[in-house]
Amino acid sequence: MLFSSLLFLRLWRWLLPVCVVLLAGACASVEPRKASQPAFTTVYVVRHAEKDPTPGLPDPSLTAAGKQRAQTLVDTLRKATITAVFSTATTRTRSTAEPLATARQLPVQPYDARQLAALAARIRREYKGQTVLVVGHSNTILETVEALGAPRPVPAVQDSEYDYLLQVRIPQDSTQAASAVARRYGVR
């Protein structure tokens, strides 16, 4: 009995410091939970709202219905934490982007619709883990989705369709593919 007690004490003297070191290491590796960066960068892509249909206008403005749709976009994205707004240089795209940019106190940043790869690279680099809005044209919004690395969520956007709201999710993990979904907003 005395022998087993002495053995236990010797073992305990050796085991106790080891347990303390292991416990301290485990506690040190547990950091307070920080607000982590979202796992995705989210990009909303929309076409400009309804434009003046008068033939031959070089830079048509929005119709009353288009102005209403631009306002509806603000309401539609009210829960999204938009941190940047991009628009081409036309009156109709800027007029679609401005109500949301104004509501969020953000500038409307211009981009060149012929340089979609540059826009996509900028969003990936400067807005990682954030949510942005891109306003383009019927012949550029699906190409924007593709430039962001996602497949087209619809085969085409007709010239008469102004109500698509495309949502692209770009994973922070570059081994995962980007995805896109299409939904409609406002009055069709």
Side-chain angles (χ1 to χ4, degrees):
M1 178 93 140
L2 182 60
F3 177 73
S4 63
S5 294
L6 287 174
L7 183 62
F8 176 75
L9 284 174
R10 283 187 180 166
L11 190 59
W12 183 249
R13 270 191 242 157
W14 176 82
L15 196 55
L16 182 61
V18 171
C19 289
V20 168
V21 168
L22 290 174
L23 186 59
C27 290
S29 68
V30 177
E31 296 178 13
R33 185 153 173 85
K34 296 177 183 174
S36 62
Q37 191 175 42
F40 294 93
T41 300
T42 302
V43 183
Y44 290 101
V45 183
V46 298
R47 178 189 182 190
H48 60 77
E50 289 85 344
K51 65 181 179 178
D52 185 335
T54 305
L57 291 176
D59 189 13
S61 58
L62 296 182
T63 63
K67 291 174 184 172
Q68 180 58 50
R69 184 173 306 282
Q71 257 328 115
T72 301
L73 184 61
V74 177
D75 298 335
T76 302
L77 296 177
R78 73 184 170 284
K79 292 183 181 178
T81 308
I82 305 289
T83 56
V85 177
F86 293 92
S87 167
T88 62
T90 65
T91 300
R92 59 194 176 274
T93 54
R94 282 193 323 269
S95 296
T96 302
E98 282 171 349
L100 188 129
T102 299
R104 304 298 171 89
Q105 299 178 342
L106 296 169
V108 176
Q109 300 180 58
Y111 75 94
D112 186 342
R114 295 168 297 194
Q115 302 293 326
L116 295 176
L119 173 66
R122 181 176 178 197
I123 290 170
R124 286 177 181 273
R125 183 179 63 250
E126 295 178 20
Y127 298 97
K128 191 174 201 172
Q130 299 177 44
T131 303
V132 302
L133 171 68
V134 175
V135 182
H137 303 269
S138 63
N139 63 345
T140 66
I141 62 172
L142 293 175
E143 290 78 2
T144 302
V145 168
E146 290 175 327
L148 291 165
R152 292 176 178 225
V154 294
V157 175
Q158 302 303 315
D159 196 46
S160 61
E161 294 178 304
Y162 296 94
D163 59 348
Y164 273 117
L165 176 65
L166 310 177
Q167 181 183 10
V168 180
R169 290 176 49 127
I170 306 167
Q172 301 302 13
D173 178 353
S174 62
T175 64
Q176 296 179 354
S179 62
V181 295
R183 62 182 179 152
R184 308 264 188 171
Y185 77 103
V187 177
R188 193 159 182 199

